[in-house]
């Protein structure tokens, strides 16, 4: 191990990590937005758009991010749609993550008993009010662990960004291996930096998950219907 | 220009080559899945071990695998092992090693929770009928566990198939690489080739994965309604 | 139509595809301040009947009038109609993510846009009346079943409904909690609240009802004063039903 080499390389890795983190954050926000829109379309059974959402979800869940990115980055420019690497990465990650988030919302919504919605309606609330004030808060709370798992999954998926010419962690590591043959150092830094990116997120998720489980505001005996 | 681009797919044996490339991906995925299932079964049983240290070791293994992107694991084996073990793993072999290493951990976790989800009184009921431990395990626990395991295992397989797309980044000639070759070869004759070829690969992956996830969803529903 | 009649139902029909009718030609009316108890074996359609009145189930035919207004015609009006018809459910259906105070104040503030300060006061008074003053900031999971059901009654009352529908509100409760809930309902009856009650508590029905309706297989079979219904029911089906509650008759 060449400590000097490692010390000198850290800034480059750090820069790459910041890029990864920035794109991941945007992608996760995009995923959440798409997932939420799909949830709205499904809940309110918006004709045509709901079916479109179902098709999108299946396409997104059953194809790899790498192929999605290649299509966006190399394919689309050929029909006149030119996207920068960064835009491709964010769009691709959102396209992938949106369906995972949509499924998280769905499982949460399914866990809320129908009778909760009826109780809201019987108080004269509109369907929108019932959704935003009664169903969504309960569904989101139930889905927190799944959201957390999805976020970690999406951060890991960013590792393919190097394939569309982004100088992310994998890109930097591969560069060092190719140019300097310092494989050990390059790989060690790669692992360490991914740990720095993912471990805190995973720890926070575990913490929130535990808190949600113990401080359930939901009385689940209502769910089982007794 | 656009419509002519689609012709690239059917020029010569291009489409056949893409399918052959896909076969390479599927071969890696299926082989890894098979090995994962075998190792995962033992791992899952170990994860429910009464010995605390066995559970701790398994847990550490699972969390370690889960925290690392599969691409990083691929790099570690492909570049790292080549240097240290003095042998040059082919990309394909590296992929099978990594995916099995990862898949076995995930499979182990599935097996663990499948066994956990069988109520204890099922085991007791078997014993109460005078069955031996082994008989209870084979006639009562295994059949129920397998029923519960099937949907998530199929889902793991589709994840495995999707993840094989990464192997192009360690130089394996599979469907994406073949696609690149086709695009490069027709760069000047068919400028829109990239759109059609990557579009086709996208749909090929979908065509392979969709039936599996459909089947898993159906089985899952059947299981839920059945109980 | 008489002026006093607050709820009037004509030829109400309800059927699901491929199933025999759940409700068959229901004709029924209630006066203001009247308490009507609906009895009948399980599956006779009495809960569906209540849910139809609150527009939670689409009906297949017939008319429902509230204060002389047809409530089935304009679906857009459903919010306004439901504000006037309160409903309390078997499983309370308090919102688990809100405190008791938030539960009872949500709809008055959100739907009726009432003044917050006044609403807080009103909620405090009503909660005090049912003995839940201490529980305002508690979450539903921290309450007993009886307390939850009393809170749910307050939630419905906060909308100042003209009619209150109670759907087996003690069926999910432990026996020792039934009384505290029924006490609240008795007091409401005394105060002149118009109520349509589905219950299996015969003693309570006898005590609270001005009129008893007996339903079987989706139809109203018998309609009587409670003292008459419980002492000498007219139909055989009602007799058989009442006999189920007398264990000595089993011998």
């Amino acid at each position: 191990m060449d400590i000097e080499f490692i010390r000198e390389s850290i800034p480059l890795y750090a820069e790459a990590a910041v890029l990864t983190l920035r794109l991941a954050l945007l992608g996760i926000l995009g995923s959440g937005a798409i997932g939420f829109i799909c949830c709205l379309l499904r809940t309110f059974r918006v004709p045509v758009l709901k079916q479109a959402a179902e098709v999108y979800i299946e396409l997104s869940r059953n194809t790899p991010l790498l192929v999605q990115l290649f299509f966006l980055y190399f394919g689309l420019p050929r029909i006149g749609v030119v996207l920068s690497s960064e835009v491709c990465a964010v769009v691709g990650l959102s396209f992938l993550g949106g369906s995972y988030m949509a499924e998280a919302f769905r499982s949460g919504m399914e866990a809320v008993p129908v009778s909760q919605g009826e109780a809201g309606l019987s108080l004269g609330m509109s369907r929108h009010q019932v959704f935003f004030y009664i169903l969504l808060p309960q569904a989101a709370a139930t889905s927190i662990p799944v959201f957390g798992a999805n976020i970690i999954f999406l951060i890991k998926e960013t590792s393919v960004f190097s394939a569309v010419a982004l100088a992310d962690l994998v890109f930097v590591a591969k560069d060092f291996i190719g140019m300097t043959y310092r494989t050990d150092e390059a790989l060690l830094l790669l692992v360490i930096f991914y740990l720095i990116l993912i471990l805190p997120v995973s720890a926070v998720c575990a913490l929130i998950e535990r808190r949600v489980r113990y401080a359930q505001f939901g009385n689940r005996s209502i769910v089982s219907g007794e | 220009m656009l419509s002519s681009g689609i012709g690239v797919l059917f020029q010569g044996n291009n489409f056949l080559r893409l399918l052959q490339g896909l076969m390479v991906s599927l071969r890696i995925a299926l082989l890894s899945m098979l090995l994962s299932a075998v190792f995962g079964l033992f791992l899952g049983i170990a994860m429910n071990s009464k010995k605390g240290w066995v559970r701790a070791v398994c847990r550490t293994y699972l969390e370690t695998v889960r925290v690392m992107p599969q691409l990083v694991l691929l790099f570690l084996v492909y570049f790292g092992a080549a240097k240290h073990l003095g042998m040059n793993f082919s990309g394909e072999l590296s992929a099978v090693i990594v995916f099995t290493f990862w898949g076995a951990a995930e499979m182990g976790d599935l097996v663990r929770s499948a066994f956990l989800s069988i109520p204890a009184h099922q085991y007791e009921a078997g014993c109460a009928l005078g069955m031996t431990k082994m008989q209870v395990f084979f006639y009562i626990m295994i059949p129920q566990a397998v029923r519960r395991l099937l949907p998530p295992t199929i889902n793991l397989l589709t994840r495995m198939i999707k993840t094989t797309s990464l192997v192009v980044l360690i130089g394996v000639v599979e469907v994406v690489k073949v696609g690149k070759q086709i695009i490069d070869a027709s760069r000047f004759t068919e400028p829109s080739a990239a759109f059609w070829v990557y579009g086709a690969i996208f749909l090929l992956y979908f065509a392979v994965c969709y039936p599996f996830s459909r089947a898993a969803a159906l089985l899952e529903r059947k299981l839920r309604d059945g109980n | 139509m008489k002026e006093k009649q607050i709820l009037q139902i004509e030829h109400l029909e309800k059927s699901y595809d491929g199933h025999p009718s759940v409700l068959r030609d229901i004709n029924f009316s209630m006066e203001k301040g009247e308490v009507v108890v609906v009895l009948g074996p399980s599956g006779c359609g009495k809960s569906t009947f209540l849910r139809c009145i609150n527009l939670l189930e689409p009906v297949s035919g017939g008319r429902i009038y509230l204060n002389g207004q047809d409530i089935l015609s304009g679906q857009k009006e459903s919010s306004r109609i439901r504000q006037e018809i309160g409903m309390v459910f078997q499983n309370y259906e308090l919102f688990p993510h809100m405190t008791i105070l938030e539960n009872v104040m949500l709809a008055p503030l959100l739907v009726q846009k009432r003044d917050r300060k006044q609403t807080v006061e009103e909620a405090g008074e009503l909660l005090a009346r049912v003995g839940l003053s201490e529980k305002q900031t508690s979450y539903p999971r921290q309450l007993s079943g009886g307390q939850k059901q009393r809170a749910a009654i307050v939630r419905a009352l906060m909308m100042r409904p003209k009619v209150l529908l109670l759907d087996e509100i003690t069926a999910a409760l432990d026996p020792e909690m039934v009384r505290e809930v029924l006490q609240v309902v008795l007091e409401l009856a005394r105060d002149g609240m118009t109520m349509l009650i589905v219950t299996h508590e015969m003693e309570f029905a006898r005590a609270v009802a001005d009129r008893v309706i007996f339903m079987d297989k989706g139809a109203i079979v018998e309609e009587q004063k409670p003292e008459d219904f419980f002492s000498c029911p007219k139909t055989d089906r009602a007799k058989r039903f009442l006999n189920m509650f007398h264990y000595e008759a089993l011998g």
Side-chain angles (χ1 to χ4, degrees), chain C residues 161-209:
Chain C
K162 304 245 165 52
V163 181
L164 201 53
L165 310 173
L166 307 182
D167 187 8
E168 302 202 28
I169 59 167
T170 57
L173 293 177
D174 290 334
E176 67 266 27
M177 291 170 183
V178 170
R179 194 176 182 81
E180 62 188 53
V181 171
L182 295 185
Q183 193 61 40
V184 171
V185 180
L186 277 170
E187 278 165 32
L188 284 176
R190 216 170 294 148
D191 292 350
M193 174 57 89
T194 313
M195 288 187 282
L196 185 56
I197 302 173
V198 169
T199 184
H200 285 295
E201 300 284 336
M202 292 303 141
E203 288 307 312
F204 167 67
R206 198 199 287 257
V208 79

Side-chain angles (χ1 to χ4, degrees), chain A residues 10-201:
Chain A
I10 284 179
L12 269 171
Y13 274 90
E15 207 177 306
V18 169
L19 176 76
T20 298
L21 206 57
R22 187 161 55 84
L23 297 179
L25 200 67
L26 290 172
I28 288 164
L29 288 177
S31 302
I34 294 175
F36 182 63
I37 291 169
C38 288
C39 172
L40 283 175
L41 297 177
R42 279 171 156 175
T43 309
F44 292 103
R45 300 203 181 84
V46 182
V48 185
L49 289 180
K50 179 190 172 281
Q51 281 77 9
E54 300 296 345
V55 172
Y56 151 70
I57 287 166
E58 292 301 337
L59 280 176
S60 154
R61 286 183 70 86
N62 289 300
T63 49
L65 177 60
L66 186 76
V67 175
Q68 294 167 7
L69 286 177
F70 274 13
F71 182 75
L72 289 174
Y73 189 68
F74 299 111
L76 283 187
R78 300 292 158 195
I79 59 165
V81 184
V82 183
L83 304 174
S84 74
S85 302
E86 294 199 7
V87 172
C88 271
V90 173
V91 170
L93 199 62
S94 304
F95 179 85
L96 176 80
S99 63
Y100 284 79
M101 293 301 187
E103 292 299 282
F105 274 112
R106 187 181 56 89
S107 67
M109 292 294 283
E110 279 176 0
V112 185
V114 182
S115 48
Q116 278 282 308
E118 291 179 344
L121 289 177
S122 81
L123 289 168
M125 293 167 74
S126 68
R127 271 156 48 87
H128 294 93
Q129 288 170 333
V130 167
F131 176 77
F132 282 105
Y133 289 89
I134 297 174
L135 304 181
L136 188 61
Q138 295 185 53
T142 319
S143 293
I144 282 175
V146 193
F147 289 134
N150 286 349
I151 288 172
I152 294 170
F153 163 73
L154 290 174
I155 296 177
K156 282 162 66 182
E157 286 288 306
T158 61
S159 60
V160 304
F161 283 173
S162 62
V164 289
L166 277 169
D168 74 339
L169 288 171
V170 170
F171 187 94
V172 172
K174 207 173 173 180
D175 230 26
F176 275 129
I177 294 171
M179 292 191 314
T180 64
Y181 295 104
R182 292 187 198 271
T183 312
D184 291 341
E185 291 84 351
L187 290 176
L188 180 71
L189 283 168
L190 179 65
V191 169
I192 288 175
F193 269 87
Y194 264 108
L195 286 178
I196 293 174
L197 281 186
I198 293 170
L199 279 184
V201 182

Side-chain angles (χ1 to χ4, degrees), chain C residues 61-115:
Chain C
R63 291 265 169 274
I64 301 177
Y65 299 95
L66 180 71
N67 278 327
Q69 261 191 316
D70 184 352
I71 65 171
L72 295 178
S73 55
Q75 278 300 313
K76 274 191 181 149
E77 291 282 87
S78 58
S79 164
R80 195 182 55 72
I81 289 150
R82 285 178 181 133
Q83 290 176 50
E84 300 189 1
I85 306 177
M87 183 149 180
V88 183
F89 299 84
Q90 178 176 341
N91 288 313
Y92 339 118
E93 302 304 342
L94 290 175
F95 307 129
H97 57 299
M98 299 177 187
T99 64
I100 297 304
L101 192 63
E102 286 165 355
N103 258 282
V104 303
M105 287 181 38
L106 177 69
L109 294 181
L110 201 63
V111 179
Q112 298 180 327
K113 314 266 184 253
R114 300 220 303 256
D115 176 63

Side-chain angles (χ1 to χ4, degrees), chain B residues 65-117:
Chain B
V65 175
R66 276 202 177 151
V67 94
M68 274 295 122
Q70 284 93 10
L71 186 58
V72 174
L73 296 177
L74 275 177
F75 270 39
L76 286 180
V77 172
Y78 185 67
F79 294 113
K83 197 176 157 195
H84 285 280
L85 303 178
M87 41 183 158
N88 241 330
F89 286 169
S90 73
E92 203 172 327
L93 181 60
S94 305
V96 172
I97 291 172
V98 165
F99 292 158
T100 304
F101 183 70
W102 160 60
E106 295 285 0
M107 191 68 201
D109 199 39
L110 296 178
V111 171
R112 180 191 64 85
S113 55
F115 275 114
L116 267 189
S117 69

